[in-house]
Amino acid sequence: MSKKSELKKQIADTEREIEALENKRARSQSALMRAMLTNQKPDPMDEKYFKVFSNLIDEEREKLRKLLAELENL
């Protein structure tokens, strides 16, 4: 497989992974927003999940930027 097609496959996989992580993060984000709107203390697990998924999303986005830059340089 050529380098260019391999990079395109990795980019597509990374984009799908980002979307999946964002969907998982949405549940904890919703719970945090509900707690804020009702003036309640948020569940610590929801905070933890939100932070973990946010960090994973940031890592995947950085990976995506590197892949796109590599593809552009070909």
Side-chain angles (χ1 to χ4, degrees):
M1 193 181 274
S2 74
K3 180 71 172 173
K4 194 171 191 175
S5 61
E6 180 62 30
L7 281 172
K8 287 181 179 181
K9 182 184 179 308
Q10 289 177 349
I11 288 168
D13 290 345
T14 302
E15 288 172 339
R16 281 192 294 275
E17 181 65 18
I18 289 170
E19 187 174 338
L21 289 168
E22 286 174 340
N23 287 336
K24 290 177 183 178
R25 180 179 67 176
R27 189 238 161 243
S28 59
Q29 186 176 15
S30 172
L32 292 172
M33 185 64 108
R34 184 177 56 242
M36 185 171 51
L37 290 173
T38 58
N39 294 322
Q40 295 178 349
K41 182 163 175 52
D43 184 337
M45 288 306 291
D46 289 326
E47 291 176 344
K48 180 180 177 182
Y49 284 133
F50 182 81
K51 289 176 185 176
V52 167
F53 285 124
S54 293
N55 287 335
L56 291 172
I57 290 167
D58 290 342
E59 290 172 10
E60 287 296 314
R61 285 184 180 153
E62 181 60 31
K63 178 181 171 184
L64 180 61
R65 280 189 285 277
K66 288 178 182 176
L67 290 170
L68 289 170
E70 188 176 344
L71 179 63
E72 191 175 302
N73 289 331
L74 286 181

